[in-house]
Amino acid sequence: MVKTPTSILLIYTGGTIGMVQDPENGSLMPMDFENILIQLPELKRLDCCITALSFDPIIDSSNMTIDTWIKISELIYKNYNAFDGFVILHGTDTMSFTASALSFMLDDLQKPVILTGAQLPLGMLRTDGKENIITAIEIASAKLKGKAIVPEVCIYFENNLFRGNRTTKHYSEKFNAFKSHHYPALAEIGVNINYNTQFIHQIDEPLPLKLSTKMDNRIALVKIFPGMKNFINSVLESKELKAVIVETYGTGNAPTHNWFLDSIDSAIKRGIIIVNVSQCPGGRVEMGKYETSLDMLNKGVLNGYDITTEAALTKLMYLLGRYDDLEEVKYWIPRSIRGELSMSC
Ligand code: ASP
């Protein structure tokens, strides 16, 4: 029997990986896709069929929007049956947000969607981009007994494959830009690609991919700090607001001052959802452990456990877009729907 080569759809959205220096002011700006393919003749040597698509315009990921997430997810959805895996070239600045958003928007995903990028453009001698793209494509093509080894939305960067909705951009200069503080790497890459199968989502039965593109962004993010004034009240009283993520200290602690708790209380009574997420990258919320989180718990603030801010924001957008009934949204916040949080350590 002739083996059909694995087919990969490579989607270029922009980011440092494909940037060149503007000769006038020296700042980095995106270059077109043809140039990228010229920088990467190695792709022809891979044992898979690659079809490449470029966004027009290509963007620095700081300009990422919900519309771009919809564009990426629709491209995957429309091409889902024609390809074995998908690799998305993306800027590192908001890669964790996009990976988290896609993980929620693509329901019953059974094929790999691997995001990657670079800290140094492909045209530079010491670029990390080449290895990142080549390994991401290898991972997206990897199969065992005819099934994708990693049927998840992931980020591959500098020797580690992570579940996308568990990641945070940690370093802006080091090549290992991403960390997954609360979930082990799905694969570690050196001479070999070693998959940590026990941590990878396993498919029980074949199901068709479903796409949700309704994302409701009537949400806000508030970071607590010592000496803060009650400006939080003006956020909580914003007209269309539906939900707020409060980034708290350590295990989910915040001031017990009346002005703070009263603002929270009145917002919750007006139907606003408030989610507690730790501002410690490696911290998980344990509401009630200290008195400084017990009052919030009693007032109805929801526990985000070990979810990242990136995953919490995109999960809220997805849930608010999907359910009109706020009780349904509240039910799903502290529960894992795509492996984005663990309720216990
Ligand atoms: N500003 C760039 C971006 O996110 C940074 C990068 O790609 O590393 O598009």
Side-chain angles (χ1 to χ4, degrees):
M1 206 171 72
V2 187
K3 190 178 155 250
T4 36
T6 313
S7 56
I8 298 297
L9 182 62
L10 180 66
I11 303 171
Y12 173 47
T13 67
T16 296
I17 194 159
M19 289 192 182
V20 275
Q21 226 157 19
D22 185 326
E24 275 170 29
N25 58 22
S27 61
L28 288 170
M29 56 180 199
M31 72 174 163
D32 64 41
F33 203 49
E34 291 308 311
N35 265 317
I36 293 211
L37 296 178
I38 291 167
Q39 308 281 351
L40 268 174
E42 293 87 349
L43 292 188
K44 296 201 184 80
R45 290 171 51 202
L46 286 168
D47 187 22
C48 59
C49 251
I50 302 169
T51 303
L53 278 181
S54 175
F55 270 35
D56 184 15
I58 40 184
I59 55 166
D60 183 301
S61 77
S62 308
N63 284 321
M64 190 51 61
T65 60
I66 291 179
D67 283 345
T68 318
W69 291 340
I70 294 175
K71 215 164 128 187
I72 302 172
S73 64
E74 283 179 343
L75 266 178
I76 295 171
Y77 184 73
K78 281 186 200 135
N79 290 288
Y80 192 66
N81 293 330
F83 292 90
D84 296 297
F86 302 83
V87 173
I88 301 168
L89 305 184
H90 194 290
T92 57
D93 287 344
T94 60
M95 194 185 290
S96 293
F97 291 90
T98 300
S100 300
L102 292 178
S103 77
F104 298 116
M105 294 164 87
L106 300 168
D107 193 4
D108 284 325
L109 178 72
Q110 304 204 334
K111 294 185 178 182
V113 173
I114 315 293
L115 288 93
T116 194
Q119 295 283 53
L120 274 181
L122 278 174
M124 287 191 177
L125 217 48
R126 290 178 50 251
T127 184
D128 52 330
K130 254 186 206 187
E131 193 279 321
N132 282 348
I133 297 190
I134 291 167
T135 307
I137 294 174
E138 281 204 28
I139 292 168
S141 335
K143 289 188 182 182
L144 188 66
K145 296 186 186 150
K147 284 191 189 159
I149 297 184
V150 195
E152 298 203 30
V153 179
C154 300
I155 287 185
Y156 173 70
F157 223 88
E158 174 79 2
N159 302 340
N160 279 300
L161 181 74
F162 294 125
R163 176 170 292 162
N165 59 29
R166 290 297 196 140
T167 61
T168 299
K169 182 172 176 181
H170 196 84
Y171 294 115
S172 56
E173 282 204 353
K174 291 190 183 178
F175 283 149
N176 57 341
F178 292 90
K179 284 210 190 282
S180 167
H181 288 280
H182 291 284
Y183 201 73
L186 304 187
E188 281 145 300
I189 291 86
V191 173
N192 298 307
I193 300 181
N194 294 315
Y195 292 98
N196 295 325
T197 319
Q198 70 274 34
F199 301 119
I200 299 175
H201 173 66
Q202 299 298 317
I203 307 286
D204 303 325
E205 46 169 338
L207 289 170
L209 177 70
K210 292 186 259 330
L211 176 65
S212 302
T213 53
K214 258 181 96 186
M215 300 286 273
D216 188 337
N217 61 356
R218 285 175 285 177
I219 59 181
L221 172 63
V222 173
K223 186 167 183 161
I224 304 291
F225 60 94
M228 72 191 281
K229 275 179 78 86
N230 196 8
F231 295 139
I232 187 175
N233 217 13
S234 36
V235 174
L236 292 172
E237 281 176 358
S238 308
K239 251 213 213 111
E240 294 175 84
L241 186 74
K242 293 192 123 181
V244 179
I245 290 167
V246 184
E247 264 198 12
T248 53
Y249 307 125
T251 53
N253 307 311
T256 47
H257 307 142
N258 286 343
W259 63 262
F260 178 76
L261 290 170
D262 289 350
S263 296
I264 296 275
D265 193 44
S266 114
I268 290 178
K269 287 192 174 129
R270 279 180 280 119
I272 290 169
I273 293 173
I274 302 189
V275 186
N276 189 351
V277 172
S278 175
Q279 52 184 257
C280 286
R284 67 191 326 277
V285 169
E286 290 176 60
M287 289 183 77
K289 179 169 181 183
Y290 291 90
E291 189 194 18
T292 42
S293 62
L294 188 60
D295 285 335
M296 285 194 290
L297 178 67
N298 291 337
K299 290 188 186 308
V301 173
L302 300 171
N303 195 335
Y305 294 98
D306 61 0
I307 198 165
T308 61
T309 299
E310 293 86 335
L313 282 165
T314 50
K315 181 175 180 176
L316 265 175
M317 290 183 196
Y318 164 79
L319 291 174
L320 290 168
R322 179 165 184 156
Y323 300 110
D324 289 328
D325 180 359
L326 289 188
E327 290 310 310
E328 198 90 43
V329 176
K330 286 190 206 163
Y331 175 84
W332 285 111
I333 289 291
R335 291 175 172 80
S336 164
I337 49 180
R338 302 279 194 268
E340 73 282 4
L341 62 81
S342 334
M343 290 169 78
S344 53
C345 309

